[in-house]
């Protein structure tokens, strides 16, 4: 098989069909290497298992503080010598409902009435 003809055929088919085209020769080469197939299978199983575990596990809650006094900022925040800012999208934010400083990327859930 002349590789120039195969490349021209693939390019022509891709151009005229409007989408990607997997040539049979390329698919045959990919499936004959057992290491490639094995690693792809392991990667696919790992991805599906990770997806299932993420969907099935509890994200956990941040317990609220029932004291009427606002708590001090966390120890790893910038005011206390840490590197995480207070406020903003990437910093600790105060939740008035739970009376806590929420860690970055956490939100207050209205249905369970606590920060997640």
């Amino acid at each position: 098989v002349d590789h120039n003809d195969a490349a021209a055929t693939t390019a022509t088919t891709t151009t005229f069909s409007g989408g990607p085209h997997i040539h049979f020769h390329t698919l045959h080469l990919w499936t004959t290497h057992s290491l490639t197939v094995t690693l792809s299978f392991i990667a696919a199983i790992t991805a599906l298992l990770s997806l299932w575990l993420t969907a099935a596990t509890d994200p956990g809650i941040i317990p609220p503080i029932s004291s009427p006094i606002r708590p001090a900022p966390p120890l790893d925040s910038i005011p206390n010598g840490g590197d995480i800012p207070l406020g903003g999208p990437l910093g600790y934010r105060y939740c008035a409902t739970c009376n806590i400083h929420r860690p970055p990327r956490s939100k207050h859930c209205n249905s369970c009435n606590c920060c997640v």
Side-chain angles (χ1 to χ4, degrees):
V1 174
D2 185 17
H3 293 289
N4 290 335
D5 289 340
T9 302
T10 303
T12 304
T13 305
T14 303
T15 302
F16 288 113
S17 67
H21 173 73
I22 298 175
H23 197 270
F24 174 75
H25 182 69
T26 306
L27 185 62
H28 177 71
L29 287 176
W30 182 81
T31 57
T32 56
H33 291 82
S34 60
L35 180 63
T36 305
V37 173
T38 304
L39 290 177
S40 298
F41 183 73
I42 290 171
I45 294 299
T46 303
L48 290 174
L49 182 63
S50 296
L51 177 66
W52 183 79
L53 286 174
T54 302
T57 55
D58 183 21
I61 64 166
I62 304 167
I65 298 174
S66 60
S67 172
I69 301 170
R70 185 174 180 164
L75 295 176
D76 59 348
S77 63
I78 288 178
N80 290 332
D83 56 350
I84 301 176
L86 282 179
L90 300 176
Y92 284 101
R93 300 193 73 179
Y94 180 71
C95 177
T97 306
C98 296
N99 193 28
I100 60 168
H101 289 278
R102 294 189 313 241
R105 298 187 314 266
S106 62
K107 305 289 182 229
H108 185 82
C109 177
N110 289 328
S111 62
C112 63
N113 199 27
C114 56
C115 289
V116 183

